[in-house]
């Protein structure tokens, strides 16, 4: 097999890259280890920045997003039993949209298959070779047969546990990581959302978040210990904890109960691998970085990587040289680290750390009070939350 760009991973990053390359007349092949059903059904983040919505709309895969997505013009920060609204649109002129990552994946897969682009699911034993040369390749097994994909460039969009990052020489790769002493217990419930906008709650018992997937599906999270067993959390215990953390000073909680359809515990970490490029191998999305979900940056950061990479590849194939490809890692990492800073800040401001230090609690409340009471503080949160401008070089 021969193509111009070999893409490993059919998540939002890999699929969007293939879509943008197709529109530019550049050939690509996508290799995915999982089945199509698994990729389309796995539940992931569901908040899109304004820039993500714009790129999906401009490239023709935003119709269902605009029909079914839930635009939000603000968020609520709740602490000391009181809610404070941050007017995202009033402060920035932009908004965010609730639309599940799996829905973005479905839209991009449909677009890929509609124009006949190669997309191979259930690929086994993928490995990259000769990334230090102008003739890299990917070996893999598909339908029981060993195959080799020869290409000009390899895009590693295969996630945190994929093979691409490990293919980079240890001598050039530097990893930055922080593992947090808490996790999120998340539920999907057949119930109306607690509010028409997201509620981020800082409580002495720990953080809580009330969000949604639709007008009839609520998505809620509560801070817990990473080592906890989900079996120890009955439905009644989960609802009781959500009500306690979301309650106002009058004791009322906006959370509405319903049958819990899914629940699980997700550890929290910050992770960055530098550089995001070695030779003809380019990393994007979770293969290169992980952010704690507090700032809602994960998928949006992957999309931002892809916009930079796709434009660099388009310039390369138009005979404009390798300058943008050479700058890819530095360009992407500037945004990555800004997103890491914001996600770390939101996480540090809203979560209860080990020991429940009263001094720390007072400082966090003071920080939240400043953010909500200061025009400058509110604007800082808002412009990061809706998405910083794209950097192209």
């Amino acid at each position: 097999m021969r193509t111009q760009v070999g893409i490993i991973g059919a998540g939002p990053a890999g699929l969007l890259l293939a879509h943008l390359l197709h529109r530019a007349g550049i050939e690509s092949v996508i290799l995915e280890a999982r089945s199509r059903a698994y990729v389309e059904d796995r539940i992931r983040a569901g908040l899109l920045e304004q820039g993500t919505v714009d790129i999906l709309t401009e490239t023709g895969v935003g119709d269902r997003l605009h029909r079914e997505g839930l635009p939000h013009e603000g968020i609520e920060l709740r602490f000391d039993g009181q809610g404070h609204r941050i007017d995202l649109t009033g402060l920035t002129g932009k908004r965010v949209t609730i639309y599940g990552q799996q829905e973005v994946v479905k839209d991009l897969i449909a677009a890929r298959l509609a124009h006949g682009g190669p997309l191979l699911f259930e690929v086994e034993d993928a490995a990259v070779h000769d990334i230090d040369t102008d003739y890299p390749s990917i070996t893999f097994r598909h339908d029981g047969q060993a195959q080799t994909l020869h290409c000009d460039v390899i895009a590693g969009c295969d996630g945190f546990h994929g093979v691409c990052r490990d293919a980079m020489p240890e001598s050039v790769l530097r990893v930055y990581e922080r593992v947090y002493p808490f996790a999120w217990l998340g539920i999907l419930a057949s119930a109306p959302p607690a509010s028409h906008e997201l509620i981020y709650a800082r409580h002495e018992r720990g953080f809580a978040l009330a969000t949604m997937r639709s007008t009839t599906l609520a998505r809620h999270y509560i801070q817990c210990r990473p080592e906890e067993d989900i079996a120890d959390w009955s439905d009644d215990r989960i609802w009781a904890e959500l009500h306690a953390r979301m309650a106002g000073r009058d004791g009322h909680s906006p959370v509405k109960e319903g049958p819990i359809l899914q629940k699980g515990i997700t550890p929290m970490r910050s992770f960055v691998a530098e550089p995001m490029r070695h030779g003809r191998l380019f990393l994007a999305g979770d293969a290169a970085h992980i952010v704690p979900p507090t700032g809602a940056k994960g998928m949006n950061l992957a999309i931002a990587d892809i916009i930079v990479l796709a434009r660099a590849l388009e310039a390369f194939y138009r005979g404009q040289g390798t300058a943008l490809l050479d700058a890819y890692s530095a360009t992407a990492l500037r945004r990555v680290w800004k997103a890491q800073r914001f996600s770390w800040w939101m996480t540090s401001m809203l979560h209860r750390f080990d020991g429940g230090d009263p001094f720390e609690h007072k400082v966090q409340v003071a920080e939240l009070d400043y953010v909500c009471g200061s025009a400058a503080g509110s604007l800082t949160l808002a412009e990061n939350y809706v998405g910083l401008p794209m950097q192209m070089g």
Side-chain angles (χ1 to χ4, degrees):
M1 298 178 65
R2 170 73 189 161
T3 192
Q4 290 173 296
V5 180
I7 302 171
I8 303 181
L15 290 165
L16 181 61
L17 177 59
H19 181 64
L20 297 179
L21 293 178
H22 169 72
R23 289 172 58 85
I26 300 168
E27 297 176 353
S28 66
V29 173
I30 308 174
L31 308 177
E32 169 57 47
R34 302 286 191 167
S35 68
R36 179 179 178 181
Y38 179 91
V39 169
E40 290 189 336
D41 292 341
R42 59 185 170 187
I43 303 297
R44 293 290 188 270
L47 189 145
L48 309 184
E49 294 176 353
Q50 181 73 63
T52 298
V53 172
D54 291 345
I55 193 68
L56 295 174
T57 303
E58 292 164 6
T59 58
V61 286
D63 289 350
R64 195 163 68 92
L65 160 62
H66 287 285
R67 289 198 308 271
E68 301 178 13
L70 303 176
H72 285 193
E73 297 186 348
I75 61 171
E76 179 182 321
L77 298 181
R78 182 170 290 214
F79 56 96
D80 275 358
Q82 288 188 301
H84 306 262
R85 185 173 185 268
I86 303 296
D87 184 359
L88 301 175
T89 303
L91 290 163
T92 68
K94 301 177 182 179
R95 61 187 185 180
V96 296
T97 300
I98 296 293
Y99 189 67
Q101 176 173 313
Q102 72 276 13
E103 306 305 327
V104 174
V105 166
K106 290 175 187 176
D107 296 340
L108 289 168
I109 288 177
R112 179 71 173 176
L113 298 179
H115 64 70
L119 172 52
L120 306 183
F121 291 102
E122 300 181 78
V123 165
E124 300 177 311
D125 302 325
V128 301
H129 308 275
D130 302 320
I131 60 175
D132 289 309
T133 75
D134 292 341
Y135 307 99
S137 63
I138 307 170
T139 57
F140 61 97
R141 294 184 65 82
H142 187 245
D143 290 337
Q145 296 187 358
Q147 300 189 48
T148 301
L149 175 64
H150 298 279
C151 44
D152 303 322
V153 169
I154 297 173
C157 306
D158 52 345
F160 183 76
H161 298 289
V163 302
C164 289
R165 187 177 69 250
D166 289 344
M168 295 178 66
E170 291 185 7
S171 60
V172 304
L173 193 65
R174 184 169 185 181
V175 169
Y176 302 86
E177 186 171 19
R178 170 165 293 182
V179 178
Y180 295 88
F182 41 74
W184 277 13
L185 189 159
I187 65 166
L188 185 68
S190 180
S195 169
H196 68 288
E197 295 176 341
L198 276 67
I199 303 174
Y200 289 80
R202 198 304 177 191
H203 192 273
E204 290 183 351
R205 298 171 67 94
F207 169 77
L209 170 63
T211 178
M212 72 285 294
R213 286 295 173 265
S214 70
T215 56
T216 59
L217 285 175
R219 185 75 163 160
H220 299 308
Y221 299 92
I222 51 177
Q223 176 185 347
C224 66
R225 297 190 307 272
E227 67 274 11
E228 293 205 45
D229 186 346
I230 191 65
D232 294 334
W233 284 84
S234 67
D235 292 4
D236 288 343
R237 183 186 177 192
I238 290 171
W239 290 121
E241 197 64 32
L242 276 166
H243 287 310
R245 299 186 190 188
M246 285 286 175
R249 289 182 176 177
D250 61 358
H252 172 72
S253 163
V255 173
K256 302 170 182 66
E257 296 187 22
I260 294 179
L261 308 176
Q262 297 176 359
K263 55 183 171 181
I265 294 176
T266 303
M268 304 272 284
R269 65 152 33 100
S270 298
F271 175 90
V272 180
E274 295 187 7
M276 291 172 57
R277 177 258 179 107
H278 181 75
R280 290 294 181 93
L281 173 63
F282 296 80
L283 303 180
D286 287 359
H289 42 74
I290 300 285
V291 291
T294 324
K297 293 298 160 209
M299 176 170 57
N300 295 293
L301 206 49
I303 297 298
D305 291 346
I306 292 307
I307 293 171
V308 176
L309 181 56
R311 291 177 181 173
L313 287 168
E314 186 175 355
F316 173 70
Y317 282 109
R318 284 181 173 177
Q320 297 172 5
T322 64
L324 291 181
L325 284 177
D326 295 339
Y328 166 72
S329 180
T331 301
L333 282 168
R334 286 203 297 275
R335 187 183 186 89
V336 167
W337 279 112
K338 289 185 176 71
Q340 288 286 3
R341 184 209 66 83
F342 177 68
S343 299
W344 168 85
W345 176 64
M346 288 280 285
T347 301
S348 301
M349 182 170 59
L350 289 162
H351 287 74
R352 179 182 186 271
F353 284 76
D354 288 345
D357 180 3
F359 178 85
E360 182 176 66
H361 170 70
K362 289 291 188 180
V363 169
Q364 288 174 312
V365 170
E367 178 80 357
L368 285 162
D369 193 30
Y370 168 74
V371 168
C372 296
S374 160
S378 295
L379 177 58
T380 294
L381 189 151
E383 68 176 0
N384 279 273
Y385 200 86
V386 301
L388 297 174
M390 294 291 175
Q391 295 169 310
M392 298 312 304

